[in-house]
Coordinates of all heavy atoms in Angstrom, one line a residue:
M88 N 54.7 174.1 117.6 CA 54.4 172.7 117.3 C 53.8 172.6 115.8 O 54.1 171.7 115.1 CB 53.4 172.1 118.3 CG 53.1 170.7 118.1 SD 54.5 169.7 118.4 CE 53.9 168.2 118.6
Q89 N 53.0 173.6 115.5 CA 52.4 173.6 114.1 C 53.5 173.7 113.1 O 53.4 173.1 112.0 CB 51.5 174.8 114.0 CG 50.8 174.8 112.6 CD 49.8 176.0 112.5 OE1 49.8 176.9 113.3 NE2 49.0 175.9 111.5
M90 N 54.5 174.6 113.3 CA 55.6 174.7 112.3 C 56.4 173.4 112.2 O 56.8 173.0 111.1 CB 56.6 175.8 112.8 CG 56.0 177.1 112.8 SD 55.6 177.6 111.2 CE 55.4 179.3 111.4
F91 N 56.6 172.7 113.3 CA 57.3 171.4 113.3 C 56.5 170.4 112.4 O 57.0 169.7 111.6 CB 57.5 170.9 114.7 CG 58.1 169.5 114.8 CD1 59.4 169.3 114.5 CD2 57.3 168.4 115.1 CE1 60.0 168.0 114.6 CE2 57.8 167.1 115.1 CZ 59.2 166.9 114.9
M92 N 55.2 170.3 112.6 CA 54.3 169.4 111.9 C 54.3 169.8 110.4 O 54.3 168.9 109.5 CB 52.9 169.4 112.5 CG 52.8 168.8 113.9 SD 53.5 167.1 114.0 CE 52.3 166.2 113.0
L93 N 54.3 171.1 110.1 CA 54.3 171.5 108.7 C 55.6 171.1 108.0 O 55.7 170.6 106.9 CB 54.1 173.0 108.6 CG 52.7 173.4 108.7 CD1 52.6 175.0 108.8 CD2 51.8 172.9 107.6
G94 N 56.7 171.2 108.8 CA 58.0 170.8 108.3 C 58.1 169.3 108.1 O 58.6 168.8 107.1
M95 N 57.5 168.5 109.0 CA 57.4 167.1 108.8 C 56.6 166.6 107.6 O 57.0 165.7 106.9 CB 56.9 166.4 110.1 CG 57.8 166.6 111.3 SD 59.4 165.7 111.1 CE 58.8 164.0 111.2
I96 N 55.5 167.3 107.4 CA 54.6 167.0 106.3 C 55.4 167.3 105.0 O 55.3 166.6 104.0 CB 53.3 167.7 106.4 CG1 52.5 167.2 107.5 CG2 52.5 167.6 105.0 CD1 51.2 168.0 107.8
S97 N 56.0 168.5 105.0 CA 56.8 168.9 103.8 C 57.9 167.9 103.5 O 58.1 167.5 102.4 CB 57.4 170.3 104.0 OG 58.1 170.7 102.9
M98 N 58.6 167.5 104.5 CA 59.7 166.5 104.4 C 59.2 165.2 103.9 O 59.7 164.5 103.0 CB 60.5 166.3 105.7 CG 61.6 165.3 105.5 SD 62.2 164.7 107.1 CE 60.8 163.9 107.8
G99 N 58.1 164.7 104.5 CA 57.5 163.4 104.0 C 57.0 163.5 102.6 O 57.2 162.5 101.9
S100 N 56.5 164.6 102.2 CA 56.0 164.7 100.8 C 57.2 164.8 99.8 O 57.2 164.2 98.8 CB 55.2 166.0 100.6 OG 54.0 165.9 101.4
A101 N 58.3 165.4 100.3 CA 59.5 165.4 99.4 C 60.1 164.0 99.3 O 60.6 163.7 98.2 CB 60.5 166.4 100.0
I102 N 60.1 163.3 100.4 CA 60.6 161.9 100.3 C 59.8 161.1 99.4 O 60.3 160.3 98.7 CB 60.8 161.3 101.8 CG1 61.9 162.0 102.5 CG2 61.0 159.8 101.7 CD1 62.0 161.7 104.0
A103 N 58.5 161.2 99.5 CA 57.6 160.5 98.7 C 57.8 160.8 97.2 O 57.8 159.9 96.3 CB 56.1 160.8 99.0
A104 N 58.1 162.1 96.9 CA 58.4 162.5 95.5 C 59.7 161.9 95.1 O 59.7 161.4 93.9 CB 58.5 164.0 95.5
L105 N 60.7 161.8 95.9 CA 61.9 161.2 95.5 C 61.8 159.7 95.3 O 62.4 159.1 94.4 CB 63.0 161.4 96.6 CG 63.5 162.9 96.7 CD1 64.5 163.0 97.9 CD2 64.2 163.3 95.4
L106 N 61.0 159.0 96.1 CA 60.7 157.6 95.9 C 60.0 157.3 94.6 O 60.3 156.4 93.9 CB 59.9 157.0 97.1 CG 60.7 156.9 98.4 CD1 59.7 156.5 99.5 CD2 61.7 155.8 98.3
F107 N 59.0 158.2 94.3 CA 58.3 158.0 93.1 C 59.2 158.3 91.9 O 59.1 157.6 90.8 CB 57.0 158.9 93.0 CG 55.9 158.3 93.7 CD1 55.3 159.0 94.8 CD2 55.3 157.1 93.4 CE1 54.2 158.5 95.5 CE2 54.2 156.5 94.1 CZ 53.7 157.3 95.1
L108 N 60.1 159.2 92.0 CA 61.1 159.4 90.9 C 62.0 158.2 90.7 O 62.3 157.8 89.6 CB 62.0 160.6 91.2 CG 61.4 162.0 90.8 CD1 62.3 163.1 91.3 CD2 61.1 162.0 89.3
R109 N 62.4 157.6 91.8 CA 63.2 156.4 91.7 C 62.4 155.2 91.1 O 62.9 154.5 90.2 CB 63.7 155.9 93.1 CG 64.7 154.8 93.0 CD 65.2 154.4 94.4 NE 64.1 153.6 95.0 CZ 64.2 153.0 96.2 NH1 65.3 153.2 96.9 NH2 63.3 152.3 96.7
F110 N 61.1 155.1 91.5 CA 60.3 154.1 90.8 C 60.1 154.3 89.3 O 60.1 153.4 88.5 CB 58.9 154.0 91.5 CG 58.9 153.6 92.9 CD1 57.9 154.0 93.8 CD2 59.9 152.8 93.4 CE1 57.9 153.6 95.1 CE2 59.9 152.4 94.8 CZ 58.9 152.8 95.6
W111 N 60.0 155.6 89.0 CA 59.9 156.0 87.6 C 61.2 155.6 86.8 O 61.1 155.2 85.7 CB 59.5 157.5 87.4 CG 59.6 157.9 86.0 CD1 58.6 157.7 85.0 CD2 60.6 158.7 85.4 NE1 59.0 158.2 83.8 CE2 60.2 158.9 84.0 CE3 61.8 159.3 85.8 CZ2 61.0 159.6 83.1 CZ3 62.5 160.0 84.9 CH2 62.1 160.1 83.6
R112 N 62.3 155.9 87.4 CA 63.6 155.6 86.7 C 63.8 154.1 86.5 O 64.3 153.7 85.4 CB 64.8 156.1 87.6 CG 65.1 157.5 87.3 CD 66.4 157.9 88.0 NE 67.3 156.8 88.2 CZ 68.4 156.9 88.9 NH1 68.6 158.0 89.6 NH2 69.2 155.9 89.0
T113 N 63.3 153.3 87.4 CA 63.5 151.8 87.2 C 62.4 151.2 86.2 O 62.7 150.3 85.5 CB 63.4 151.1 88.5 OG1 62.2 151.3 89.2 CG2 64.6 151.5 89.4
S114 N 61.2 151.8 86.3 CA 60.1 151.2 85.5 C 59.7 152.0 84.2 O 59.0 151.4 83.4 CB 58.9 150.9 86.4 OG 58.3 152.2 86.7
H115 N 60.0 153.3 84.2 CA 59.6 154.2 83.1 C 58.1 154.2 83.0 O 57.6 154.4 81.9 CB 60.3 153.8 81.8 CG 61.8 154.0 81.9 ND1 62.4 155.2 81.9 CD2 62.8 153.0 81.9 CE1 63.7 155.0 82.0 NE2 64.0 153.7 82.0
E116 N 57.4 154.0 84.1 CA 55.9 154.1 84.1 C 55.6 155.6 84.4 O 56.0 156.1 85.4 CB 55.4 153.2 85.2 CG 53.9 153.2 85.3 CD 53.2 152.8 84.0 OE1 53.6 151.7 83.5 OE2 52.2 153.5 83.6
R117 N 54.8 156.2 83.5 CA 54.6 157.7 83.7 C 53.7 158.0 84.9 O 53.8 159.1 85.4 CB 53.9 158.2 82.4 CG 54.8 158.3 81.3 CD 54.2 159.1 80.1 NE 52.9 158.7 79.8 CZ 52.3 159.0 78.6 NH1 53.0 159.6 77.7 NH2 51.1 158.7 78.4
L118 N 53.0 157.0 85.4 CA 52.2 157.3 86.6 C 53.0 157.7 87.8 O 52.7 158.6 88.5 CB 51.4 156.0 87.0 CG 50.5 156.1 88.2 CD1 49.4 157.1 88.0 CD2 50.0 154.7 88.6
F119 N 54.2 157.1 87.9 CA 55.1 157.5 89.0 C 55.6 158.9 88.8 O 55.9 159.6 89.8 CB 56.3 156.5 89.0 CG 55.9 155.1 89.4 CD1 56.4 154.0 88.8 CD2 55.0 154.9 90.5 CE1 56.0 152.7 89.2 CE2 54.6 153.6 90.9 CZ 55.1 152.5 90.2
L120 N 55.8 159.3 87.6 CA 56.3 160.7 87.3 C 55.2 161.7 87.7 O 55.5 162.7 88.3 CB 56.7 160.8 85.8 CG 57.5 162.0 85.5 CD1 58.8 162.1 86.2 CD2 57.8 162.0 84.0
W121 N 54.0 161.4 87.4 CA 52.8 162.2 87.8 C 52.8 162.3 89.3 O 52.6 163.4 89.9 CB 51.5 161.7 87.3 CG 51.3 161.9 85.8 CD1 51.6 161.1 84.8 CD2 50.6 163.0 85.2 NE1 51.2 161.6 83.6 CE2 50.6 162.8 83.8 CE3 49.9 164.1 85.7 CZ2 49.9 163.7 83.0 CZ3 49.3 165.0 84.9 CH2 49.3 164.8 83.5
F122 N 52.9 161.2 90.0 CA 52.8 161.2 91.5 C 54.0 162.0 92.1 O 53.9 162.7 93.1 CB 52.8 159.8 92.0 CG 51.4 159.2 92.1 CD1 50.6 159.2 91.0 CD2 50.9 158.7 93.3 CE1 49.3 158.7 91.1 CE2 49.7 158.2 93.4 CZ 48.8 158.2 92.3
A123 N 55.2 161.8 91.5 CA 56.3 162.6 92.0 C 56.1 164.1 91.8 O 56.4 164.8 92.8 CB 57.6 162.2 91.2
A124 N 55.6 164.5 90.7 CA 55.3 165.9 90.5 C 54.2 166.4 91.5 O 54.3 167.5 92.1 CB 54.8 166.2 89.1
A125 N 53.2 165.6 91.8 CA 52.2 166.0 92.8 C 52.7 166.1 94.2 O 52.5 167.1 94.9 CB 51.1 164.9 92.7
F126 N 53.5 165.2 94.6 CA 54.1 165.2 95.9 C 55.1 166.3 96.1 O 55.3 166.9 97.2 CB 54.7 163.9 96.4 CG 53.6 163.0 96.9 CD1 53.0 162.0 96.1 CD2 53.1 163.1 98.2 CE1 52.0 161.2 96.6 CE2 52.1 162.3 98.7 CZ 51.6 161.3 97.9
L127 N 55.9 166.6 95.0 CA 56.8 167.8 95.1 C 56.0 169.1 95.2 O 56.4 169.9 96.0 CB 57.7 167.8 93.8 CG 58.7 168.9 93.8 CD1 59.7 168.7 94.9 CD2 59.4 168.8 92.4
C128 N 54.9 169.2 94.5 CA 54.0 170.4 94.6 C 53.5 170.5 96.1 O 53.5 171.6 96.6 CB 52.9 170.2 93.6 SG 51.6 171.5 93.8
E129 N 53.1 169.4 96.7 CA 52.6 169.4 98.0 C 53.8 169.8 99.0 O 53.5 170.5 100.0 CB 52.0 168.1 98.4 CG 51.5 168.0 99.8 CD 50.3 168.9 100.1 OE1 49.8 169.5 99.2 OE2 50.0 169.0 101.3
A130 N 54.9 169.3 98.8 CA 56.1 169.6 99.7 C 56.4 171.1 99.6 O 56.6 171.7 100.6 CB 57.3 168.8 99.3
V131 N 56.4 171.6 98.4 CA 56.7 173.1 98.3 C 55.6 173.9 98.9 O 55.8 174.9 99.6 CB 56.9 173.4 96.8 CG1 56.9 174.9 96.6 CG2 58.2 172.8 96.3
N132 N 54.3 173.5 98.7 CA 53.2 174.2 99.3 C 53.3 174.2 100.8 O 53.1 175.3 101.4 CB 51.9 173.5 98.8 CG 50.7 174.2 99.4 OD1 50.6 175.4 99.5 ND2 49.7 173.4 99.8
R133 N 53.6 173.1 101.4 CA 53.7 173.1 102.9 C 54.9 173.9 103.4 O 54.8 174.6 104.4 CB 53.7 171.7 103.4 CG 52.5 170.8 103.1 CD 51.3 171.3 103.9 NE 50.2 170.6 103.6 CZ 49.2 170.3 104.4 NH1 49.2 170.9 105.6 NH2 48.1 169.6 104.0
A134 N 56.0 173.8 102.7 CA 57.2 174.6 103.1 C 56.9 176.1 103.0 O 57.3 176.8 103.9 CB 58.4 174.2 102.2
V135 N 56.3 176.5 101.9 CA 56.0 177.9 101.8 C 55.0 178.4 102.8 O 55.1 179.5 103.4 CB 55.5 178.2 100.3 CG1 54.9 179.6 100.3 CG2 56.6 178.1 99.3
F136 N 54.0 177.5 103.1 CA 53.0 177.9 104.1 C 53.7 178.0 105.5 O 53.4 179.0 106.2 CB 51.9 176.8 104.2 CG 50.8 177.0 105.2 CD1 50.0 178.1 105.0 CD2 50.6 176.2 106.2 CE1 49.0 178.4 105.9 CE2 49.6 176.4 107.1 CZ 48.8 177.5 107.0
A137 N 54.6 177.2 105.8 CA 55.3 177.3 107.1 C 56.2 178.5 107.1 O 56.3 179.2 108.1 CB 56.1 176.0 107.4
W138 N 56.9 178.8 105.9 CA 57.8 179.9 105.8 C 57.0 181.2 106.0 O 57.6 182.2 106.5 CB 58.5 179.8 104.5 CG 59.6 180.9 104.3 CD1 59.5 182.1 103.8 CD2 60.9 180.7 104.8 NE1 60.7 182.7 103.8 CE2 61.6 181.9 104.4 CE3 61.6 179.7 105.4 CZ2 62.9 182.2 104.7 CZ3 63.0 180.0 105.7 CH2 63.6 181.2 105.4
Q139 N 55.8 181.3 105.5 CA 55.0 182.5 105.6 C 54.4 182.7 107.0 O 53.7 183.7 107.2 CB 53.9 182.5 104.6 CG 54.4 182.5 103.2 CD 55.1 183.8 102.8 OE1 54.7 184.9 103.3 NE2 56.1 183.7 102.0
G140 N 54.6 181.8 107.9 CA 54.1 181.9 109.3 C 52.9 181.1 109.6 O 52.3 181.3 110.7
A141 N 52.5 180.3 108.7 CA 51.3 179.4 108.9 C 50.1 180.2 109.4 O 49.5 179.9 110.4 CB 51.6 178.3 109.9
G142 N 49.8 181.2 108.6 CA 48.6 182.1 108.9 C 47.3 181.4 108.6 O 46.8 180.5 109.3
D143 N 46.7 181.8 107.5 CA 45.4 181.3 107.1 C 45.5 180.2 106.1 O 45.9 180.4 105.0 CB 44.5 182.5 106.6 CG 43.1 182.0 106.2 OD1 42.7 181.0 106.8 OD2 42.5 182.7 105.4
E144 N 45.2 179.0 106.6 CA 45.4 177.8 105.7 C 44.3 177.8 104.6 O 44.5 177.2 103.6 CB 45.2 176.5 106.5 CG 45.7 175.3 105.8 CD 45.8 174.1 106.7 OE1 45.5 174.2 107.9 OE2 46.1 173.0 106.1
A145 N 43.3 178.6 104.7 CA 42.2 178.6 103.7 C 42.5 179.8 102.7 O 41.6 180.1 101.9 CB 40.9 178.8 104.4
A146 N 43.7 180.3 102.7 CA 44.0 181.4 101.7 C 44.0 180.8 100.3 O 44.4 179.6 100.1 CB 45.3 182.0 102.1
L147 N 43.7 181.6 99.4 CA 43.5 181.1 98.0 C 44.8 180.5 97.4 O 44.7 179.4 96.8 CB 43.0 182.3 97.1 CG 42.7 181.9 95.7 CD1 41.6 180.9 95.6 CD2 42.3 183.1 94.9
P148 N 46.0 181.1 97.6 CA 47.2 180.4 97.0 C 47.4 179.0 97.5 O 47.8 178.1 96.7 CB 48.3 181.3 97.4 CG 47.7 182.6 97.6 CD 46.3 182.4 98.2
Y149 N 47.2 178.8 98.8 CA 47.4 177.4 99.3 C 46.3 176.4 98.8 O 46.6 175.3 98.6 CB 47.4 177.5 100.8 CG 48.5 178.4 101.4 CD1 48.1 179.5 102.1 CD2 49.8 178.2 101.0 CE1 49.1 180.4 102.6 CE2 50.8 179.1 101.5 CZ 50.4 180.2 102.3 OH 51.4 181.1 102.7
L150 N 45.1 176.9 98.7 CA 44.1 176.1 98.2 C 44.3 175.7 96.7 O 44.0 174.6 96.3 CB 42.7 176.7 98.4 CG 42.2 176.9 99.8 CD1 40.9 177.6 99.9 CD2 42.1 175.5 100.5
L151 N 44.8 176.7 95.9 CA 45.1 176.4 94.5 C 46.2 175.4 94.4 O 46.2 174.6 93.5 CB 45.4 177.7 93.8 CG 44.2 178.7 93.6 CD1 44.7 180.0 92.9 CD2 43.1 178.0 92.7
A152 N 47.2 175.5 95.3 CA 48.3 174.6 95.2 C 47.8 173.2 95.5 O 48.3 172.2 94.9 CB 49.4 175.0 96.2
R153 N 46.9 173.1 96.5 CA 46.4 171.7 96.8 C 45.5 171.2 95.6 O 45.5 170.0 95.4 CB 45.6 171.8 98.1 CG 46.4 171.9 99.3 CD 45.7 171.6 100.5 NE 46.6 171.9 101.6 CZ 46.2 172.6 102.7 NH1 44.9 173.0 102.8 NH2 47.0 172.9 103.6
L154 N 44.8 172.1 95.0 CA 44.0 171.7 93.8 C 44.9 171.2 92.7 O 44.6 170.1 92.1 CB 43.2 172.9 93.3 CG 42.4 172.7 92.0 CD1 41.3 171.6 92.3 CD2 41.8 174.0 91.5
V155 N 46.1 171.8 92.5 CA 47.0 171.3 91.5 C 47.5 170.0 92.0 O 47.7 169.1 91.1 CB 48.2 172.3 91.4 CG1 49.3 171.7 90.6 CG2 47.7 173.6 90.7
F156 N 47.8 169.8 93.3 CA 48.3 168.5 93.8 C 47.3 167.4 93.4 O 47.7 166.4 92.9 CB 48.4 168.6 95.3 CG 48.7 167.3 96.0 CD1 49.9 166.7 95.9 CD2 47.7 166.8 96.9 CE1 50.1 165.5 96.6 CE2 47.9 165.6 97.5 CZ 49.1 165.0 97.4
F157 N 46.0 167.6 93.7 CA 45.0 166.6 93.4 C 44.8 166.4 91.9 O 44.5 165.3 91.5 CB 43.7 166.8 94.2 CG 43.9 166.6 95.7 CD1 43.7 167.7 96.5 CD2 44.1 165.4 96.2 CE1 43.9 167.5 97.9 CE2 44.3 165.2 97.6 CZ 44.1 166.3 98.4
L158 N 44.8 167.5 91.2 CA 44.7 167.4 89.7 C 45.8 166.6 89.1 O 45.6 165.9 88.1 CB 44.5 168.7 89.1 CG 43.2 169.4 89.4 CD1 43.2 170.8 88.8 CD2 42.0 168.6 88.9
L159 N 47.0 166.7 89.6 CA 48.1 166.0 89.1 C 47.9 164.5 89.4 O 48.2 163.6 88.5 CB 49.4 166.4 89.7 CG 50.0 167.7 89.1 CD1 51.2 168.2 90.0 CD2 50.5 167.5 87.7
I160 N 47.4 164.1 90.5 CA 47.2 162.7 90.8 C 46.1 162.2 89.9 O 46.2 161.1 89.3 CB 46.8 162.6 92.3 CG1 48.1 162.8 93.2 CG2 46.2 161.2 92.6 CD1 47.8 162.7 94.6
L161 N 45.0 163.0 89.8 CA 43.9 162.5 88.9 C 44.4 162.5 87.4 O 44.0 161.5 86.7 CB 42.7 163.5 89.0 CG 41.9 163.4 90.3 CD1 40.8 164.4 90.3 CD2 41.3 162.0 90.4
G162 N 45.2 163.4 87.0 CA 45.7 163.4 85.7 C 46.6 162.1 85.4 O 46.6 161.5 84.4
G163 N 47.4 161.8 86.4 CA 48.2 160.5 86.3 C 47.4 159.3 86.2 O 47.7 158.4 85.4
I164 N 46.3 159.2 87.0 CA 45.4 158.0 86.9 C 44.7 158.0 85.6 O 44.6 156.9 85.0 CB 44.4 158.1 88.1 CG1 45.2 157.9 89.4 CG2 43.4 157.0 88.0 CD1 44.4 158.1 90.7
A165 N 44.2 159.2 85.1 CA 43.5 159.2 83.8 C 44.5 158.8 82.7 O 44.1 158.1 81.8 CB 42.9 160.6 83.6
D166 N 45.7 159.3 82.8 CA 46.7 159.0 81.8 C 47.0 157.5 81.8 O 47.1 156.9 80.7 CB 48.0 159.8 82.1 CG 49.1 159.5 81.1 OD1 48.9 159.6 79.9 OD2 50.2 159.0 81.5
K167 N 47.1 156.9 82.9 CA 47.4 155.5 83.0 C 46.2 154.7 82.4 O 46.4 153.7 81.7 CB 47.6 155.1 84.5 CG 47.7 153.6 84.8 CD 49.1 153.1 84.3 CE 49.2 151.7 84.8 NZ 50.3 151.0 84.1
N168 N 45.0 155.1 82.7 CA 43.8 154.3 82.3 C 43.5 154.5 80.8 O 42.9 153.6 80.2 CB 42.6 154.6 83.2 CG 42.8 154.0 84.5 OD1 43.4 152.9 84.7 ND2 42.3 154.7 85.5
L169 N 43.8 155.7 80.3 CA 43.3 156.0 78.9 C 44.4 155.7 77.9 O 44.1 155.6 76.7 CB 43.0 157.5 78.8 CG 41.8 157.9 79.7 CD1 41.5 159.4 79.5 CD2 40.5 157.2 79.2
R170 N 45.6 155.6 78.4 CA 46.7 155.3 77.4 C 46.6 153.9 76.9 O 46.4 152.9 77.7 CB 48.1 155.5 78.1 CG 49.2 155.5 77.2 CD 50.5 156.0 77.9 NE 50.4 156.0 79.4 CZ 51.2 155.4 80.2 NH1 52.2 154.7 79.7 NH2 51.1 155.4 81.5
K171 N 46.8 153.7 75.7 CA 46.7 152.3 75.1 C 48.0 151.6 75.5 O 49.1 152.1 75.3 CB 46.6 152.4 73.6 CG 45.2 152.9 73.2 CD 45.1 152.9 71.7 CE 43.8 153.4 71.3 NZ 43.5 153.4 69.9
S172 N 47.9 150.4 76.1 CA 49.0 149.7 76.5 C 49.6 148.9 75.2 O 48.8 148.5 74.4 CB 48.7 148.7 77.6 OG 47.7 147.8 77.2
A173 N 50.9 148.9 75.2 CA 51.5 148.2 74.1 C 51.3 146.7 74.3 O 51.3 146.1 75.4 CB 53.0 148.5 74.1
P174 N 51.2 146.0 73.2 CA 51.0 144.5 73.3 C 52.3 143.9 73.8 O 53.4 144.3 73.4 CB 50.7 144.1 71.8 CG 51.1 145.2 71.0 CD 51.1 146.4 71.8
P175 N 52.2 142.8 74.5 CA 53.4 142.2 75.1 C 54.2 141.5 74.1 O 53.9 141.1 73.0 CB 52.8 141.1 76.1 CG 51.4 141.0 75.8 CD 51.0 142.2 75.0

């Protein structure tokens, strides 16, 4: 059951990444590109974790991948808020 759930989480994260890529293509808003990268990182992390047998979830490589996931999201938010918007 754990492998099934990890697969579902990985698939859901990959779908979210694809949706954010589609939003980025239509709006060219960089925040969506940051989110797509973050969710792609999470999808790969969960898939590798399941592929390795779902041993210790607190292992350093998986925690570092999650750290990258959250840092990408924070980087996207910071980029959005700190970037000067063009005048209309």
Side-chain angles (χ1 to χ4, degrees):
M88 185 66 160
Q89 184 181 12
M90 296 296 198
F91 176 75
M92 293 304 292
L93 284 171
M95 293 295 290
I96 293 169
S97 179
M98 181 197 60
S100 296
I102 290 172
L105 290 174
L106 286 172
F107 281 120
L108 276 176
R109 188 178 76 179
F110 296 152
W111 173 74
R112 274 187 30 192
T113 59
S114 69
H115 296 288
E116 179 63 47
R117 287 192 314 200
L118 179 67
F119 294 135
L120 195 59
W121 284 88
F122 272 55
F126 277 98
L127 183 63
C128 175
E129 178 65 10
V131 169
N132 180 39
R133 295 295 178 150
V135 168
F136 183 61
W138 187 265
Q139 296 293 325
D143 183 21
E144 194 171 357
L147 186 61
Y149 303 119
L150 292 177
L151 289 177
R153 287 197 189 131
L154 177 65
V155 169
F156 171 71
F157 289 115
L158 287 177
L159 282 170
I160 290 176
L161 287 175
I164 293 170
D166 179 57
K167 173 75 174 169
N168 288 327
L169 296 177
R170 193 170 13 128
K171 293 183 179 181
S172 59

